[in-house]
Amino acid sequence: MQSQHKKPLAVVMATDDKAAFAAGCALLSLKQNSPLLFKKADIIIYYQNLSQQNRKALRSIGRVFFKEYKLNFSTADIKTIRRYSQLTLARYECFFLLKEYRQLLWLDLDILVKKELINILKFKKSGFALAHDDNIVASNFLKPIKGFDLLRRNFNAGVIVFSDNMANPVKIGAWCYQQTKALASKLLWIDQGILNLALQKFAIKPAILPRKFNSHPVLSPIKTANALILHAMGDYKFWDNYPFKEWDNFYRKWLETGGAEVTIQNYDKKYLLIFKFKLFLEKVPFIWGLFQKTVKFKFALLNKKTLKKQGLKGR
């Protein structure tokens, strides 16, 4: 389809009943804090096992279209799939949706949009835009993957901009599914690992999103007040150990739409205290600089541990 006949933009997410509350809160934060982008976009939600109650609540937020997500292979060999569900692979569908849209913004569910995101659409180089984190590519795998540079800095897959100037998107999407099946027993951070390999396989030099577009509440070098998107990647979320009044307000609004309550919680007092301590440090310039260096050192140690575990040598 020629670009001029395509729709301009879709925000793409994936959920089931278990995570519907998070999808609702993420969309409500997008609607309130990024109205320019929200008004421009269709909302496409891939789903499995999603009740009519939660579909109705999600539809009340915006221009939402549902697509049932089906895989043609088993994910039983992926040890960490239970942490997410098959729906984590739905981001691969963005490669195929470029037939219909000029741009797509994939958003994980564990996000809180803080400010207007319309400028994220300017990052179009190679048709692919992501933000780095402080891991290396090897951290996505349980075992080394031959033929790839696993020492490269990792791209986080929680916020991705896809644009239709990408070369061979259908081929890339198909390859991602094929490699997910082929490497199933070696995958840790499942789709993120495959996407980082795809960048190398297809010699893609993506546009690099500033970290403010994909900022962890604790482990990012960006202060929470400066983040455009807070992304609670990992085991701890806004609904347990990273409390934000904004997220709580969106959760109340979600319940008012008729959406189902929180079903996933993983309280850990230690991480709650770390989060509160980090918020305090952000207000003290000298100490904040030391905190940033400490986090960088922490990831250097984690990456060194990953290399040792996989029998790889650093540079």
Side-chain angles (χ1 to χ4, degrees):
M1 185 185 296
Q2 293 182 352
S3 183
Q4 60 265 32
H5 298 303
K6 297 179 181 180
K7 294 183 178 181
L9 176 68
V11 171
V12 187
M13 309 173 82
T15 193
D16 54 15
D17 274 332
K18 187 169 65 173
F21 73 92
C25 291
L27 282 178
L28 286 166
S29 73
L30 179 69
K31 182 176 184 178
Q32 177 171 305
N33 295 332
S34 182
L36 296 178
L37 186 144
F38 186 84
K39 290 175 183 176
K40 185 177 181 180
D42 287 346
I43 309 296
I44 296 176
I45 297 179
Y46 286 93
Y47 73 91
Q48 292 177 340
N49 303 316
L50 188 63
S51 69
Q52 290 299 325
Q53 172 193 356
N54 282 322
R55 291 189 211 186
K56 182 179 179 181
L58 288 165
R59 281 197 187 99
S60 73
I61 298 172
R63 200 163 59 245
V64 175
F65 301 91
F66 293 100
K67 292 179 179 286
E68 186 175 8
Y69 187 65
K70 296 180 180 180
L71 276 178
N72 60 7
F73 62 88
S74 171
T75 54
D77 291 335
I78 303 177
K79 295 180 180 180
T80 53
I81 197 71
R82 293 179 184 177
R83 185 182 294 180
Y84 311 102
S85 85
Q86 292 181 344
L87 288 165
T88 193
L89 305 180
R91 72 197 73 212
Y92 298 160
E93 292 299 309
C94 292
F95 291 109
F96 306 99
L97 286 173
L98 288 175
K99 292 179 179 178
E100 304 173 40
Y101 290 89
R102 292 198 289 273
Q103 286 189 290
L104 301 157
L105 174 60
W106 169 272
L107 295 175
D108 275 2
L109 303 184
D110 50 355
I111 65 154
L112 176 63
V113 177
K114 299 276 288 179
K115 299 178 184 178
E116 180 58 58
L117 301 181
I118 193 69
N119 287 334
I120 200 172
L121 303 178
K122 295 179 180 179
F123 293 87
K124 300 177 65 173
K125 180 183 177 182
S126 302
F128 209 53
L130 313 90
H132 280 126
D133 58 28
D134 294 303
N135 291 304
I136 55 176
V137 173
S139 67
N140 294 297
F141 304 100
L142 299 170
K143 300 176 182 179
I145 310 297
K146 294 181 179 180
F148 294 92
D149 181 1
L150 301 182
L151 302 185
R152 288 190 188 181
R153 191 174 177 187
N154 188 62
F155 284 100
N156 184 275
V159 177
I160 311 174
V161 181
F162 297 80
S163 301
D164 67 356
N165 59 317
M166 183 186 300
N168 302 312
V170 172
K171 184 177 180 181
I172 297 171
W175 185 89
C176 287
Y177 277 117
Q178 292 164 3
Q179 293 304 303
T180 300
K181 182 179 180 180
L183 299 175
S185 64
K186 298 182 178 182
L187 297 175
L188 178 58
W189 304 109
I190 308 165
D191 45 278
Q192 181 170 277
I194 296 299
L195 288 171
N196 273 274
L197 297 186
L199 294 176
Q200 297 185 35
K201 171 67 176 179
F202 294 94
I204 300 170
K205 294 183 178 180
I208 299 175
L209 294 177
R211 290 285 287 273
K212 65 183 179 180
F213 284 110
N214 189 351
S215 180
H216 190 273
V218 174
L219 298 176
S220 171
I222 305 297
K223 294 181 179 181
T224 54
N226 297 333
L228 303 186
I229 300 176
L230 286 172
H231 177 199
M233 61 197 86
D235 293 329
Y236 305 109
K237 308 297 183 184
F238 300 116
W239 47 92
D240 43 45
N241 298 294
Y242 302 143
F244 277 85
K245 289 183 179 179
E246 284 182 272
W247 192 91
D248 292 341
N249 288 336
F250 291 127
Y251 179 59
R252 281 192 288 271
K253 289 181 180 179
W254 165 250
L255 295 179
E256 288 170 3
T257 68
E261 296 181 351
V262 168
T263 58
I264 317 164
Q265 290 187 299
N266 185 24
Y267 285 112
D268 188 320
K269 188 174 182 180
K270 179 180 72 173
Y271 280 88
L272 176 60
L273 292 174
I274 290 172
F275 169 67
K276 290 183 176 180
F277 184 55
K278 190 257 188 177
L279 294 181
F280 167 75
L281 294 180
E282 289 182 359
K283 301 174 184 178
V284 187
F286 175 72
I287 301 178
W288 171 243
L290 289 177
F291 175 80
Q292 289 176 303
K293 291 179 181 178
T294 301
V295 170
K296 189 173 183 179
F297 179 70
K298 167 188 166 70
F299 277 103
L301 291 179
L302 288 173
N303 289 330
K304 187 175 181 180
K305 184 178 179 180
T306 296
L307 293 176
K308 184 178 180 180
K309 187 175 181 180
Q310 296 188 20
L312 299 170
K313 293 183 179 180
R315 283 198 256 272

